[in-house]
Amino acid sequence: MSDLVIFSIGSGVLSALAVFFWVNPLKKPLKPLETSQKETKTVQSSEPQIQEQSAKRETALKQDKWESGLKKSRDRFLEKFKGALSLLGSEPWNDSHPLWESLEESLLTSDLGPTTTEFFLDSLKQEFKEQPDPNHLKEAIRTKMKNALDEVPLKIFAQEPKPIITMLVGVNGAGKTTTAGKLAKIAQSQGKTVILAAGDTFRAAAVEQLQAWGDRLDVEVISPAQGANPAAVAFDAVAAGLSRNVDEVIIDTAGRLHTKDNLMEELKKVVRVIQKKIPDAPHRVYLVLDATLGQNALVQAKEFAKAIAIDGAILTKLDGSAKGGAAIAISKELHLPVVFVGLGEQAEDLKTFSSDEFVRHLLP
């Protein structure tokens, strides 16, 4: 009897609870969908901030590389330039004021060369008939440097050829082979397919070095057969580029003294052989120059320009040179644009040349 009573009471309680929750449902149910949407909005709103922070870090790294890469050239120039500015007000202002001689020395020691230095001084004297404010003088020099560097525009194609044939020339030790590998990496970063050609058949180490770049980047390297001449390697590379439908063929060539006529004639032969496959190639011929040579690099550039049409200069080892002013002389005197500069040893340290960055870090 007692068991029946307990069961009856228990059943009544359950029934009562069921009726209570049916009449009074939960008024604040969980809303997982709404919470999820809020989280999504938070993630989405943070994405632009992350991208902005990443862009700022990348810009800072680039600026740091220009800063460190031009340090030696900047220190050398500013040492003399500050001395020149200190002479303002020392004597009555005229064309023979001591500042001009001191400024000439600062430009020459930075390897702008006598021709470009004379042009700058004559132009500045015309501009400042009255004694200048130091900041105005500095800004005027910056402007003239930038104008000289921007005087000749880069070669631009209405429609880029495929494959585009890039050939590197220069003397021994300028850094052509390393530059070829770094250019291949840049092309890859732009989503392009590349073939490298080891055209320095006189130096086994150059072929091995370029092959190492090919292995590292997973890029095909056309290497010379035993006894092959540079023109044959270039021909094979262009043929391979056409058959494989790649975007760019980069041809390394043997270093040659600009004073040796027979070697310069051989360079012309390489061009003629390439043109048997593609009549308007090579599309870009870059002269690789060692920036540590300063004015000697300018002499080399003049001689190479006599033998072959040059489309631009690549200055290597700029971070190890105090003679960065030679870049301005090359642009001003040879009407040759600087295309890339080497600001360090790593692959990513070959930077697309920027006249703004160059001038800003040479004369801050």
Side-chain angles (χ1 to χ4, degrees):
M1 183 70 174
S2 60
D3 289 342
L4 289 172
V5 172
I6 292 170
F7 174 77
S8 176
I9 293 172
S11 299
V13 171
L14 290 173
S15 299
L17 286 172
V19 170
F20 175 81
F21 281 112
W22 181 72
V23 175
N24 300 284
L26 290 173
K27 293 181 180 180
K28 293 184 179 180
L30 295 174
K31 296 180 181 180
L33 180 60
E34 185 177 333
T35 303
S36 176
Q37 288 173 341
K38 286 180 180 178
E39 289 175 355
T40 302
K41 287 178 182 177
T42 302
V43 171
Q44 288 175 343
S45 65
S46 67
E47 283 179 0
Q49 295 175 357
I50 294 171
Q51 291 173 354
E52 183 180 354
Q53 290 170 356
S54 178
K56 285 181 178 178
R57 281 196 299 270
E58 187 175 343
T59 301
L61 286 172
K62 287 180 180 177
Q63 289 177 341
D64 285 346
K65 188 53 68 174
W66 280 100
E67 180 79 16
S68 60
L70 282 170
K71 184 180 186 307
K72 290 184 178 180
S73 294
R74 178 175 58 254
D75 290 349
R76 186 174 187 176
F77 179 73
L78 289 180
E79 180 185 1
K80 300 289 184 182
F81 183 65
K82 289 177 180 177
L85 291 182
S86 68
L87 296 173
L88 283 171
S90 61
E91 294 183 16
W93 186 252
N94 53 47
D95 283 355
S96 59
H97 191 280
L99 173 136
W100 297 120
E101 183 178 350
S102 184
L103 180 58
E104 179 181 19
E105 185 181 358
S106 67
L107 294 171
L108 287 173
T109 55
S110 294
D111 267 51
L112 268 75
T115 303
T116 302
T117 295
E118 184 179 359
F119 171 81
F120 273 31
L121 290 174
D122 288 346
S123 179
L124 288 166
K125 287 177 181 179
Q126 289 295 319
E127 187 171 342
F128 294 108
K129 294 293 187 182
E130 302 293 332
Q131 180 169 305
D133 173 86
N135 289 330
H136 290 165
L137 179 60
K138 184 186 290 188
E139 188 56 39
I141 294 173
R142 282 199 199 101
T143 300
K144 294 187 188 310
M145 286 180 171
K146 188 176 186 314
N147 289 344
L149 290 165
D150 292 339
E151 201 167 274
V152 185
L154 295 176
K155 188 176 183 179
I156 298 175
F157 301 94
Q159 183 174 359
E160 191 168 286
K162 186 175 181 177
I164 188 165
I165 310 300
T166 301
M167 189 166 83
L168 304 181
V169 300
V171 302
N172 289 315
K176 294 184 302 303
T177 304
T178 299
T179 299
K182 291 180 178 181
L183 287 176
K185 183 174 175 61
I186 290 173
Q188 273 192 335
S189 70
Q190 297 169 346
K192 296 179 180 179
T193 51
V194 188
I195 283 179
L196 288 166
D200 187 351
T201 59
F202 301 108
R203 197 166 59 96
V207 177
E208 293 171 2
Q209 186 182 356
L210 200 62
Q211 188 61 61
W213 274 101
D215 294 341
R216 189 184 313 169
L217 300 174
D218 194 22
V219 165
E220 182 179 2
V221 177
I222 305 298
S223 301
Q226 189 171 4
N229 62 63
V233 176
F235 182 87
D236 290 345
V238 173
L242 288 168
S243 65
R244 294 159 180 61
N245 195 34
V246 300
D247 296 306
E248 185 171 5
V249 176
I250 301 173
I251 302 172
D252 183 24
T253 63
R256 59 202 69 237
L257 292 172
H258 53 284
T259 54
K260 300 292 184 181
D261 292 340
N262 60 323
L263 293 177
M264 299 304 276
E265 286 299 320
E266 187 181 73
L267 199 57
K268 295 177 185 178
K269 179 184 176 183
V270 173
V271 172
R272 290 195 300 269
V273 168
I274 290 173
Q275 290 173 346
K276 290 181 180 179
K277 277 291 183 183
I278 303 178
D280 61 341
H283 306 104
R284 298 185 298 210
V285 178
Y286 291 150
L287 176 60
V288 182
L289 298 167
D290 182 345
T292 63
L293 298 179
Q295 280 296 295
N296 285 334
L298 182 65
V299 173
Q300 291 176 12
K302 288 178 179 178
E303 294 303 317
F304 271 93
K306 291 177 184 177
I308 187 173
I310 305 294
D311 298 305
I314 298 177
L315 291 180
T316 62
K317 311 173 190 177
L318 190 60
D319 57 311
S321 172
K323 303 176 180 180
I328 300 169
I330 289 168
S331 292
K332 180 66 183 173
E333 296 181 37
L334 300 182
H335 305 288
L336 193 63
V338 178
V339 188
F340 294 96
V341 289
L343 298 174
E345 295 181 359
Q346 302 303 314
E348 59 272 15
D349 293 337
L350 184 68
K351 301 293 185 185
T352 300
F353 184 74
S354 164
S355 59
D356 287 325
E357 294 286 358
F358 183 88
V359 172
R360 187 161 65 88
H361 287 91
L362 181 64
L363 181 54

